[in-house]
Amino acid sequence: VNPEDLEAFRSAVSAVREGKVPQAIVLRFQRADGGTVHTQTTIAGKCDERGNLQYIVGTFTDVSEDILREQVLEESEAKYHAIFEQAADAIVLVDAQTGALLEFNSKAHENLGYSREEFQKLKIADFEVLESAVEVIEHTTRIVREGSDTFETKHRMKDGRIRDIVVTAKPISVGGRVLCSAIWRDVTERKRAEEDIRQYQKRLQSLAVDLSLAADRERRRLASSLHDNAGQLLSLAKIKLSTLDELSLP
């Protein structure tokens, strides 16, 4: 018996000696090749006609494969939970028929300013801005029917602020139920940056138009000024020529 299991084994034997019901425990045994066998062990007492304990009987069933499957499942669940919780985006599992939030990672409630306890009491319609409660159910039902959807929406935070969200959703089967899984990516800052760029481009375009108009006005002014100066010079030349003609007369 594995030394770490000896105490549990002794406790089970003592319980049987005290007249308690048969004890069931899992014991590990060392094989000759160095491997470990997990056994489901049942320890029971056999008594005589007077009820006196005569001897103790143990039955051992090899459950190594079952234990291995459980370990693999636990490791898989631990990896899934780590990925689920450490994801950069909010991830939720939604009841397509009610809009209730069945599972969600920390980002889902933190991004909207709720505690986990507060958030688990909500439904999608409680913070969805663009769709009514009926439209939310119709939308999730359509996602289940069509297989997937990616769309933009808006979510209201606990303090009333509005966030822009890109949703990627698809149906999954869990325990015989078809649910809707979704990833919510907050794109509020990206949209603000895009709007800032658009406004900046508009200002640049407006400035370019203003500069073009100013340059056109300056060209017209210069042309007019040159025209006026040329006219003045011609007039002066005519006067001088007329004076010379008069002086040259006998």
Side-chain angles (χ1 to χ4, degrees):
V1 178
N2 188 301
E4 295 179 1
D5 296 340
L6 284 175
E7 185 59 34
F9 177 70
R10 293 191 182 104
S11 297
V13 171
S14 296
V16 170
R17 283 176 175 169
E18 293 171 2
K20 295 181 179 179
V21 297
Q23 304 295 301
I25 57 174
V26 175
L27 296 176
R28 290 167 292 177
F29 291 88
Q30 194 78 19
R31 292 195 314 228
D33 62 3
T36 300
V37 177
H38 293 77
T39 66
Q40 180 68 44
T41 305
T42 301
I43 300 173
K46 294 298 182 179
C47 301
D48 59 18
E49 296 176 353
R50 299 177 184 179
N52 297 318
L53 181 66
Q54 297 295 302
Y55 53 89
I56 294 176
V57 176
T59 58
F60 304 89
T61 304
D62 188 341
V63 292
S64 299
E65 292 186 0
D66 294 336
I67 295 294
L68 179 59
R69 280 194 294 269
E70 289 177 4
Q71 290 175 344
V72 171
L73 180 60
E74 289 176 358
E75 291 175 359
S76 178
E77 289 178 347
K79 290 177 182 178
Y80 166 78
H81 183 74
I83 294 171
F84 187 73
E85 279 299 321
Q86 295 173 18
D89 298 320
I91 304 175
V92 297
L93 189 61
V94 180
D95 187 325
Q97 296 181 339
T98 66
L101 298 163
L102 303 179
E103 288 188 35
F104 49 86
N105 65 354
S106 297
K107 283 289 185 181
H109 66 86
E110 290 173 355
N111 286 356
L112 294 181
Y114 290 96
S115 68
R116 177 170 288 275
E117 291 71 24
E118 292 172 329
F119 200 63
Q120 66 186 6
K121 298 175 183 178
L122 302 180
K123 295 183 178 181
I124 298 294
D126 292 325
F127 50 83
E128 167 62 35
V129 175
L130 302 184
E131 296 181 342
S132 67
V134 173
E135 290 171 330
V136 167
I137 301 304
E138 291 175 347
H139 197 167
T140 53
T141 301
R142 185 167 64 253
I143 291 170
V144 170
R145 182 176 63 252
E146 296 179 358
S148 66
D149 192 14
T150 299
F151 58 95
E152 291 190 17
T153 189
K154 295 179 181 292
H155 287 171
R156 182 178 291 103
M157 296 182 65
K158 182 180 178 180
D159 62 10
R161 288 180 294 165
I162 304 300
R163 309 297 292 181
D164 294 296
I165 307 295
V166 172
V167 180
T168 301
K170 66 178 182 178
I172 62 172
S173 179
V174 179
R177 298 172 61 191
V178 179
L179 307 174
C180 185
S181 67
I183 298 174
W184 298 341
R185 173 160 293 181
D186 191 322
V187 294
T188 306
E189 302 308 322
R190 189 194 76 188
K191 280 186 166 291
R192 286 176 181 170
E194 290 173 348
E195 180 61 25
D196 289 344
I197 292 173
R198 283 194 292 269
Q199 293 300 323
Y200 179 68
Q201 290 175 336
K202 286 182 179 180
R203 289 196 296 272
L204 287 179
Q205 291 172 353
S206 177
L207 179 60
V209 171
D210 291 343
L211 289 174
S212 178
L213 293 174
D216 188 55
R217 287 194 298 270
E218 182 63 16
R219 283 194 297 271
R220 288 199 299 269
R221 187 188 68 77
L222 290 173
S224 176
S225 177
L226 289 173
H227 180 271
D228 292 343
N229 289 338
Q232 292 174 2
L233 290 173
L234 287 173
S235 297
L236 181 60
K238 287 180 180 179
I239 292 172
K240 289 182 176 180
L241 287 172
S242 177
T243 301
L244 290 173
D245 289 340
E246 291 177 356
L247 292 175
S248 64
L249 291 174

